[in-house]
Amino acid sequence: MTRPAKYGKSEVYKLGTILQILTMIVVLIGMEKLVMLIDNNSSIPSWVSTFLTGLFFAVLSIRSRMFSLLDNTRSRQTYDQVIRPRWSPPPLAFPIVWMIIAVLRVVSSVLVWQQMNRQFLVLPLILFVVHLALGDTWNTIFTVERRLGTAVPVVILGPWLSAVVVTAIYWQTNPVAGMILSLSCIWLTVASVLVFRIWQLNGSEPLYPLKLTSVKK
């Protein structure tokens, strides 16, 4: 007798992503209150709140995964072990590129924050944390769980598409911020194509392999 296959992995991803987004929104609210207190204190130089905001966006850009309940361990193991196209970047290139992207995110986000009257709980920055959360969930799927099939639609509908949306919103808010952040879209486009080719070269498992194996008894 075969029990019906159970579904649940996609729900775990969705719940983990939603909770991470909500947590980071709460953090945005906390930062807004902190900056407001600093700005209202005449004894504190005005540059202090800008410095703290830049530092906050730096931590958020580099360590957003600390707000996730999913396993977001950063590792080269999956990338080193899978078959890759000849044009794929060497593993050493990834931390360098992501650090550059982190700087782009910090600078563009600070510019948006300034343009939005130094507020954090605004649509562009909320969409920014959504983008970060989607990227962390993709990392869980690809790097940690090595679900190469699921990683393809997720990287396109998650990190890549959200990066395009955030860039567009940043551009509308502050054109300079949008231009700065648009550089990250180039890398994410390359990364999306790379994920697709890795999927093709490694067996082309189903693009939505979230169904757990049926259990016989």
Side-chain angles (χ1 to χ4, degrees):
M1 177 180 178
T2 303
R3 295 179 184 172
K6 297 181 179 179
Y7 296 81
K9 204 63 182 179
S10 62
E11 284 73 17
V12 171
Y13 298 148
K14 292 173 185 175
L15 180 60
T17 305
I18 291 171
L19 290 177
Q20 181 179 2
I21 292 170
L22 293 176
T23 302
M24 288 194 288
I25 288 176
V26 170
V27 174
L28 288 178
I29 296 173
M31 276 300 298
E32 186 162 307
K33 293 184 179 300
L34 175 62
V35 167
M36 189 180 299
L37 287 174
I38 293 174
D39 288 343
N40 289 334
N41 191 330
S42 58
S43 63
I44 301 177
S46 58
W47 60 264
V48 172
S49 58
T50 301
F51 174 78
L52 288 178
T53 297
L55 184 61
F56 167 71
F57 283 123
V59 172
L60 204 61
S61 298
I62 298 172
R63 298 287 298 181
S64 60
R65 64 185 182 274
M66 69 182 179
F67 299 106
S68 177
L69 296 178
L70 303 174
D71 184 354
N72 273 290
T73 305
R74 293 296 193 265
S75 172
R76 283 175 32 188
Q77 185 174 1
T78 297
Y79 188 73
D80 289 341
Q81 293 179 353
V82 296
I83 302 172
R84 306 189 298 272
R86 294 179 180 177
W87 54 267
S88 61
L92 181 61
F94 287 87
I96 297 174
V97 171
W98 282 115
M99 285 304 297
I100 294 173
I101 289 178
V103 173
L104 299 177
R105 287 171 170 172
V106 171
V107 174
S108 60
S109 296
V110 170
L111 289 175
V112 167
W113 169 74
Q114 291 175 330
Q115 190 71 39
M116 300 297 290
N117 298 318
R118 303 165 74 88
Q119 297 180 61
F120 288 86
L121 200 63
V122 291
L123 181 61
L125 298 181
I126 291 174
L127 291 176
F128 174 62
V129 301
V130 170
H131 166 65
L132 294 178
L134 291 172
D136 290 331
T137 299
W138 177 84
N139 181 72
T140 297
I141 293 170
F142 180 82
T143 304
V144 178
E145 300 184 356
R146 200 167 172 173
R147 293 174 174 266
L148 305 184
T150 306
V152 173
V154 171
V155 76
I156 296 173
L157 298 176
W160 182 82
L161 182 58
S162 63
V164 172
V165 172
V166 173
T167 299
I169 296 296
Y170 272 32
W171 201 303
Q172 290 179 355
T173 306
N174 184 313
V176 175
M179 285 187 284
I180 292 173
L181 194 61
S182 65
L183 298 175
S184 68
C185 293
I186 298 174
W187 168 250
L188 286 170
T189 300
V190 173
S192 297
V193 175
L194 177 59
V195 170
F196 179 75
R197 287 295 293 137
I198 288 175
W199 167 70
Q200 286 184 319
L201 294 172
N202 288 269
S204 298
E205 71 177 33
L207 291 175
Y208 197 65
L210 301 181
K211 183 173 69 174
L212 301 180
T213 305
S214 299
V215 180
K216 295 182 178 180
K217 80 171 195 176

